[in-house]
């Protein structure tokens, strides 16, 4: 029974001997790997032009371009330079082993091949590659809000800044799963597209759940988008907080109220009735009404409560600007 690897790692086997290819292909397939084959160095390099395997098993001795030259050219390709290479060779002399490492090989196995040993060395190299990939991603993302995803779209690592923003915008989120449900749903709906072209997926925009009472002149939103690590190739979520400035309310002086209208509005904002204002300011209730009509027009409001709210808001903003 074949047990498939959850990650379904892709292994490229490069060997000019059909029997070796058959044995290794069967063993790797049974171990859950996806296998690609090439029978010489040039065809291996051509395959790297359209697919990036997780690891390469490379025969050292082949007609035409040998394995050493093939490895050297692999290391010269920016998109393939990070791929682990395990040499397969019957050359056991020290000079050949050293040459394999000099051209960029990561490990080697001696022919005749033992499939169990080959699989064990592949697993070890894949673990090391994963750790290096994670370290590179962490280095690149340390100053940013970034979440690294596995192939199923599950978070496997995140920066502290990303966690802080998720807590701010999703205050009720559970500890598990690590991502809020709206984010998980968005990932699930776009994961296939993101695997092909992360930049083609529209960003998820989340507005702050609770407005910050101190942020009177700005609104905040969180934008989450797919990306890919430049060096590691990992699928990432990039989080950015966008602050939209809200124009400050114009001061009361801009409404050009007369001193008497200012007095009337001040007492109106304190909850006084027209008769109270008339008594306080020594005028008739009818005059108070007349002042209020002018005030409503100048403020652009239609009710006493709207005028009072506007006046209180301007007074609060003015007091904050002085502090």
């Amino acid at each position: 029974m074949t047990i498939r690897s959850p990650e379904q790692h892709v292994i490229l086997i490069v060997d000019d001997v059909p029997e070796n290819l058959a044995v290794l292909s069967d063993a790797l397939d049974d171990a859950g790997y996806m296998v690609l084959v090439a029978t010489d160095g040039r065809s291996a390099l051509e395959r790297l032009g359209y697919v990036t395997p997780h690891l390469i098993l490379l025969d050292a001795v082949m007609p035409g371009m040998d394995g050493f030259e093939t490895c050297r050219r692999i290391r010269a390709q920016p998109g393939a330079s990070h791929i682990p290479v395990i040499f397969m060779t019957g050359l056991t002399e020290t000079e050949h082993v050293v040459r394999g490492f000099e051209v960029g090989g990561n490990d080697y196995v001696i022919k005749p091949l033992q499939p169990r040993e080959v699989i064990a060395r592949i697993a070890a190299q894949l673990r090391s590659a994963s750790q290096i990939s994670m370290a590179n991603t962490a280095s690149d993302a340390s100053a940013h809000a970034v979440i690294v995803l596995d192939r199923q779209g599950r978070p496997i690592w995140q920066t502290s800044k990303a966690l802080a923003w998720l807590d701010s915008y999703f205050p009720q989120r559970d500890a598990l799963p690590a991502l809020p449900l709206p984010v998980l749903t968005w990932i699930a709906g776009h994961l296939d597209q993101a695997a092909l072209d992360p930049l083609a997926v529209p960003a998820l925009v989340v507005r702050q759940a609770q407005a910050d009472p101190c942020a009177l002149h700005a609104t905040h939103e969180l934008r989450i988008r797919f990306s890919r690590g430049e060096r590691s190739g990992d699928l990432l979520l990039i989080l950015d907080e966008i602050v939209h400035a809200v124009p400050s309310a114009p001061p009361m002086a801009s409404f050009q109220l007369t001193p008497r209208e200012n007095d009337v509005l001040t007492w109106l904002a304190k909850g006084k009735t027209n008769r109270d204002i008339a008594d306080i300011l020594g005028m008739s209730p009818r005059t108070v009404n007349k002042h209020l009509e002018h005030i409503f027009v100048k403020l652009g409001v239609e009710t006493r409560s709207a005028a009072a709210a506007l006046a209180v808001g301007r007074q609060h903003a003015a007091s904050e600007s002085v502090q």
Side-chain angles (χ1 to χ4, degrees), residues 193 197-202 226:
Q193 183 182 6
D197 185 1
L199 300 182
V201 178
F226 283 104

Side-chain angles (χ1 to χ4, degrees), residues 121-264:
R121 290 182 181 273
I122 288 174
Q125 287 297 325
L126 289 175
R127 284 194 298 270
S128 296
S130 177
Q131 292 169 357
I132 293 171
S133 171
M134 190 69 70
N136 286 337
T137 301
S139 175
D140 292 340
S142 58
H144 305 282
V146 174
I147 299 171
V148 183
L149 303 177
D150 65 13
R151 292 171 180 268
Q152 283 72 46
R154 297 171 300 203
I156 55 177
W157 181 84
Q158 57 278 314
T159 63
S160 57
K161 191 172 186 179
L163 288 178
W165 275 346
L166 289 177
D167 287 338
S168 175
Y169 283 82
F170 300 92
Q172 304 304 318
R173 76 186 185 99
D174 297 330
L176 292 174
L179 295 180
L181 182 58
V183 179
L184 290 173
T185 302
W186 174 76
I187 291 173
H190 296 90
L191 187 61
D192 291 342
Q193 183 182 6
L196 298 174
D197 185 1
L199 300 182
V201 178
L204 172 66
V205 179
V206 183
R207 288 174 179 79
Q208 203 162 39
Q210 294 180 344
D212 183 352
C214 297
L216 298 176
H217 306 305
T219 59
H220 300 71
E221 67 182 26
L222 185 67
R223 293 185 182 180
I224 305 175
R225 56 186 173 86
F226 283 104
S227 184
R228 196 173 294 282
E230 292 184 6
R231 292 186 290 175
S232 66
D234 293 318
L235 193 61
L236 312 175
L237 293 183
I238 307 295
L239 287 69
D240 295 297
E241 186 175 47
I242 310 299
V243 179
H244 298 284
V246 176
S248 298
M252 288 304 301
S254 65
F255 295 110
Q256 297 182 341
L257 300 181
T258 66
R260 210 55 171 162
E261 289 168 350
N262 268 318
D263 291 340
V264 171

